[in-house]
Amino acid sequence: MSGLMDISNDEKVRIARDFIRAAPAGEFREVVNDVRVLLGDDALLTTASDVFYEHATDQFCRVDVEGSPALVTKEGSVDGSKVFYDPGTGKNFTYKYLTGEATNIEPGVRDNGAESWRKALEDALAVYLKDNFPAFGSAVYGKLDGDTVSLTVAIENHKYNPDNFYCGKWQSKWTVEFPTSGGFAKVVGEMKVQVHYFEDGNVQLHTKKTTEESVQVSNPEEGAKNVVEFIGRSEKEYQLGINENYREMSATTFKSLRRALPITKNLVDWHKLHSLNIGRDLMNRTT
Amino acid sequence: YQRRVRDNRDGDSYRSPWSNEFFPPIEDGNAPSDRMRKLEEQANDAFDVYREQYFDGGISSCYFWEEDHGGFSGAILIKKTGDLKNKFRSSWDSIHVIEVHEKGAGRNAHYKLISTVMLWLQNTRSGSGQMDLGGSLSRQVEKDLPVTNDMFSHIVNIGGMVEKMENNIRGVLETVYFGRTLTVLNDVRSLVDLESKKQHDKLSQGIANAIKNKDRTSTN
């Protein structure tokens, strides 16, 4: 690949970063391996590795921490690099990007000012998740900032099936902010779906939706119940909306791009098209 | 309008498959032989009709060029942009590259077709937010088909292969885009309450077992 030789190391690292950053869910390792071969220089790959953090936190990568499905997120980042906090177990862990494992598990720091609200939400969410996701990873973070309680919910489920040439992921993030005395909480949600299919081709689905609502949170249990109700209602509406889109795309949009067959319901008679040409030739000769 | 493709390019000018002229105009541009030019004219007319019948609009271009092995190759390009209906933006692009190895009139010629279709759909809506579904699929096929003295027999053969291939790819696109990708979403998050589904399944199984047992006892 002589083209690759003509560019600077800085440019190579930039390109490597872009590739890795854009790796579809579940294909991170494969992309890193391919990039490694292309770069042919592991020192350069190390320079590009800050992008691993961006990719993993963007994807809410799921990791096993003492038997619990924890997530790698920016909210849970302890050092902005590879140490993360799992609020479910209360532990810190070091995330190994290339193997997807949690090592160096140590006690983490809980913000007790928000704990009763956080725990109530975590418990209510667990019931909701079991009822709506065949499998999942989740994290509920809580912190008290002056007079404001901030809770963040992260949810993830994925299906990686490279043998059948597809990978897919659901992610949602919900932030809940309210005064420590209770009242009304501003709940903001962002939901994302990505699917990648790659048998003899490359097809990707990317969808994203944000939503917001004011939810009553007079006490931890009632607040948790209302927030989870809003999350459930929103996620269902989003999923149904996507399904509806698909119905319309296949029934209308796709058909109007290209028919399955001509209106005659028969294949084109290519022999017949020849007589058009003879007509055209005659016209050209007489003019 | 002409499709800009590597095959019809000479420096910074592109040759139109319709007028055979370079745009912007240049002297001594890389032009195909008379035989190839005739094939191009016939192909563009024929595929124009094909395009209307299947796409009801859009644009198409055909290019042909001679090869060293004594045969020739061609590219057939089709583009269709969907109407902005229901806030959906969509587009279809076909690229068919055909290689033809000739053995003389009255004998079979060998055709190799490599086709790629790029399909893209986009939508923004309150219920589903922003949605992008796009990508491409590729397929290839080889065939031996009879030719006559008339160059148009190549058009008949190539047209038939392209049509069959596009119909096939269209079917796969439908299954993959609208079936497979949606199934994956509905697999990672369930539309049905899993708890009540579990109860329902248990109940169905219980009833099925009861019926089985009843049949067994009643045949005694």
Side-chain angles (χ1 to χ4, degrees):
Chain A
M1 259 188 111
S2 64
L4 204 55
M5 298 308 177
D6 301 333
I7 61 178
S8 69
N9 278 349
D10 278 349
E11 188 60 11
K12 284 183 196 173
V13 168
R14 188 190 68 77
I15 294 171
R17 269 207 192 93
D18 285 349
F19 271 124
I20 296 168
R21 192 78 181 78
E27 298 167 46
F28 174 74
R29 246 156 267 154
E30 285 78 1
V31 173
V32 170
N33 282 334
D34 288 348
V35 166
R36 183 185 215 158
V37 169
L38 281 175
L39 279 178
D41 181 353
D42 276 359
L44 284 183
L45 184 62
T46 309
T47 314
S49 62
D50 54 311
V51 82
F52 293 1
Y53 170 86
E54 289 301 320
H55 187 270
T57 54
D58 200 45
Q59 297 280 338
F60 291 2
C61 284
R62 197 191 309 175
V63 58
D64 184 301
V65 174
E66 295 182 340
S68 260
L71 297 184
V72 171
T73 67
K74 286 203 171 71
E75 282 68 30
S77 174
V78 171
D79 65 351
S81 169
K82 51 186 171 205
V83 181
F84 296 90
Y85 173 67
D86 170 40
T89 54
K91 297 280 163 70
N92 280 357
F93 61 93
T94 301
Y95 184 61
K96 302 223 110 163
Y97 290 98
L98 295 177
T99 59
E101 290 170 325
T103 62
N104 229 30
I105 306 201
E106 288 175 339
V109 179
R110 250 195 225 296
D111 188 335
N112 287 316
E115 186 55 15
S116 58
W117 298 96
R118 190 205 71 80
K119 188 74 172 73
L121 183 53
E122 187 180 80
D123 291 342
L125 189 76
V127 176
Y128 164 72
L129 292 174
K130 267 217 183 75
D131 208 17
N132 290 276
F133 292 86
F136 55 85
S138 66
V140 180
Y141 307 93
K143 72 172 193 269
L144 179 64
D145 229 320
D147 204 32
T148 307
V149 177
S150 287
L151 306 175
T152 304
V153 173
I155 300 169
E156 179 276 342
N157 191 23
H158 61 263
K159 206 166 178 195
Y160 299 156
N161 198 331
D163 289 343
N164 288 315
F165 308 101
Y166 70 84
C167 291
K169 175 178 282 231
W170 165 289
Q171 285 172 264
S172 48
K173 182 170 109 168
W174 301 89
T175 58
V176 187
E177 247 176 43
F178 52 96
T180 190
S181 50
F184 277 90
K186 176 170 154 182
V187 184
V188 177
E190 186 182 81
M191 300 167 281
K192 288 198 283 195
V193 176
Q194 50 174 307
V195 179
H196 185 205
Y197 172 84
F198 42 94
E199 183 169 20
D200 290 329
N202 178 9
V203 178
Q204 296 200 29
L205 166 70
H206 287 271
T207 129
K208 185 161 79 168
K209 179 178 175 185
T210 50
T211 185
E212 190 176 311
E213 197 163 280
S214 195
V215 171
Q216 185 153 32
V217 291
S218 359
N219 61 65
E221 282 64 41
E222 197 226 341
K225 181 165 137 295
N226 292 341
V227 168
V228 170
E229 188 274 328
F230 172 56
I231 290 176
R233 188 179 6 114
S234 307
E235 294 189 343
K236 187 174 188 174
E237 184 184 307
Y238 174 54
Q239 188 173 0
L240 286 175
I242 296 170
N243 274 263
E244 179 52 43
N245 262 2
Y246 267 72
R247 257 191 293 277
E248 218 171 304
M249 279 194 296
S250 67
T252 313
T253 321
F254 183 63
K255 287 191 170 63
S256 58
L257 274 179
R258 185 190 187 278
R259 295 193 177 98
L261 276 177
I263 297 183
T264 57
K265 297 270 195 277
N266 289 318
L267 296 177
V268 168
D269 185 342
W270 291 89
H271 290 284
K272 254 216 192 111
L273 300 186
H274 194 11
S275 46
L276 292 176
N277 276 276
I278 293 178
R280 187 190 199 264
D281 281 345
L282 281 174
M283 271 180 62
N284 287 343
R285 252 175 266 151
T286 54
T287 44
Chain B
Y1 184 97
Q2 74 230 29
R3 294 301 308 282
R4 294 185 170 198
V5 145
R6 193 189 55 233
D7 312 304
N8 66 331
R9 183 185 174 161
D10 189 347
D12 287 323
S13 281
Y14 292 88
R15 180 176 64 84
S16 159
W18 297 94
S19 65
N20 201 27
E21 291 186 1
F22 278 89
F23 182 82
I26 56 173
E27 275 186 33
D28 287 338
N30 235 356
S33 64
D34 284 344
R35 191 173 86 113
M36 290 294 101
R37 182 57 201 149
K38 176 139 191 249
L39 196 59
E40 267 185 8
E41 286 175 359
Q42 292 181 335
N44 276 303
D45 284 344
F47 275 97
D48 208 27
V49 174
Y50 167 82
R51 183 191 38 73
E52 265 315 305
Q53 302 229 358
Y54 277 95
F55 294 85
D56 197 15
I59 45 175
S60 52
S61 300
C62 305
Y63 301 95
F64 286 91
W65 58 95
E66 244 133 22
E67 296 282 18
D68 293 334
H69 56 65
F72 60 91
S73 293
I76 296 132
L77 311 153
I78 303 176
K79 183 179 188 71
K80 170 84 186 283
T81 304
D83 295 321
L84 208 70
K85 228 186 257 185
N86 301 328
K87 297 202 189 139
F88 270 105
R89 292 168 66 204
S90 60
S91 72
W92 169 299
D93 279 80
S94 305
I95 301 171
H96 302 280
V97 178
I98 187 104
E99 267 176 44
V100 184
H101 294 254
E102 299 176 278
K103 289 155 197 155
R107 303 178 65 192
N108 285 347
H110 185 77
Y111 298 85
K112 180 174 174 187
L113 174 65
I114 303 172
S115 301
T116 299
V117 175
M118 294 180 283
L119 175 65
W120 174 73
L121 302 116
Q122 192 191 64
N123 171 283
T124 301
R125 254 183 189 171
S126 58
S128 49
Q130 269 168 268
M131 199 185 76
D132 258 275
L133 178 57
S136 66
L137 290 180
S138 290
R139 288 281 187 284
Q140 71 179 56
V141 71
E142 291 190 53
K143 242 182 175 162
D144 285 318
L145 293 166
V147 286
T148 67
N149 275 322
D150 190 349
M151 278 293 274
F152 198 80
S153 58
H154 281 302
I155 306 291
V156 172
N157 292 338
I158 294 169
M161 282 178 81
V162 166
E163 179 175 22
K164 193 165 177 200
M165 176 67 101
E166 267 196 5
N167 285 344
N168 174 267
I169 293 182
R170 186 193 183 281
V172 178
L173 285 170
E174 192 151 28
T175 311
V176 169
Y177 272 65
F178 308 116
R180 206 72 77 84
T181 61
L182 186 65
T183 304
V184 178
L185 162 63
N186 291 334
D187 279 348
V188 295
R189 187 181 186 283
S190 177
L191 276 174
V192 176
D193 283 347
L194 292 171
E195 221 9 80
S196 30
K197 182 175 192 298
K198 229 191 266 173
Q199 305 296 354
H200 179 266
D201 289 347
K202 240 195 227 158
L203 186 61
S204 307
Q205 192 59 54
I207 293 174
N209 289 340
I211 292 174
K212 228 188 273 168
N213 290 333
K214 187 161 188 275
D215 281 345
R216 217 177 292 140
T217 54
S218 64
T219 53
N220 285 350

